[in-house]
Amino acid sequence: MIRKILVGASVSTMFVAGLLVAPAIRAQTPAAAPDPSDIAEGMRLYQQKGSCGACHGWAGDGHKMDNQMPDGANLRETKLSRSGLVMTIKCGRLNSQMPAFDKFAYSDGRCYGKTQADLKSYATRMPDPPATLQAREVELITDFLMAKVVGKGPMDHAKCVDFWGSDADACKELPK
């Protein structure tokens, strides 16, 4: 009888311990790679809805496509982590020309603890974005950037073909 109780207690203890350890193990496992269709959708959002290429360039290298737009950061060389990119897209960059794409970014202190009133003290006014983005759209753009731009170094022919999925016109001008 005592043995049954001890065995039952051991099994219960192992079960509870497993429940406590499982979240820690899951937290250590890397996130699954984004689906190629999600990366394609993120690229579309980067190019079209966010108009990110107007300042950052089609390749994300800071070679802007519109001379009237401010110079964007070279995202190919950024040291921002995934979470840093998400925050920057949602909240913009204070005292810079990088807009906040979250519609409510400065309404309630969710971005850098600041509100719209706080932004008036900065010398450079953050512009309005071309469009606001939903949280899922920010995630998709970030997935695209992490897969095709961030940490990829200067654009060359092979990277361009990988970027576009084919030998696009833009690739023909790049060194092989």
Side-chain angles (χ1 to χ4, degrees):
M1 173 83 169
I2 293 176
R3 185 171 179 200
K4 276 186 171 180
I5 293 172
L6 290 175
V7 169
S10 295
V11 170
S12 296
T13 302
M14 289 188 303
F15 177 74
V16 171
L19 290 176
L20 295 173
V21 172
I25 291 171
R26 271 187 300 237
Q28 294 172 359
T29 57
D35 186 270
S37 64
D38 286 347
I39 293 171
E41 179 63 9
M43 183 178 188
R44 186 193 69 75
L45 290 164
Y46 174 92
Q47 294 171 331
Q48 295 175 11
K49 188 171 182 182
S51 297
C52 307
C55 298
H56 295 286
W58 66 264
D61 56 10
H63 294 89
K64 62 186 178 180
M65 295 168 36
D66 183 342
N67 288 335
Q68 295 179 351
M69 298 303 286
D71 293 333
N74 182 342
L75 301 174
R76 299 185 78 76
E77 295 178 355
T78 188
K79 301 295 183 215
L80 288 174
S81 65
R82 185 180 197 294
S83 62
L85 283 170
V86 168
M87 180 68 125
T88 301
I89 295 167
K90 285 182 178 181
C91 300
R93 287 272 187 195
L94 296 174
N95 207 27
S96 80
Q97 292 291 304
M98 175 64 189
F101 285 86
D102 179 338
K103 183 177 183 175
F104 302 107
Y106 294 97
S107 64
D108 58 6
R110 73 179 67 185
C111 288
Y112 312 115
K114 307 279 185 198
T115 63
Q116 197 65 40
D118 298 321
L119 299 182
K120 293 177 182 172
S121 67
Y122 291 97
T124 301
R125 184 188 164 284
M126 187 183 297
D128 292 330
T132 57
L133 298 169
Q134 300 297 318
R136 176 73 177 135
E137 293 173 320
V138 172
E139 295 288 334
L140 290 167
I141 290 172
T142 303
D143 286 343
F144 157 69
L145 291 172
M146 296 303 290
K148 299 282 188 174
V149 178
V150 173
K152 304 301 183 205
M155 184 60 79
D156 61 23
H157 186 266
K159 291 175 189 171
C160 184
V161 170
D162 178 61
F163 183 90
W164 291 108
S166 67
D167 197 0
D169 287 342
C171 304
K172 292 178 180 21
E173 300 172 13
L174 295 169
K176 289 191 179 189

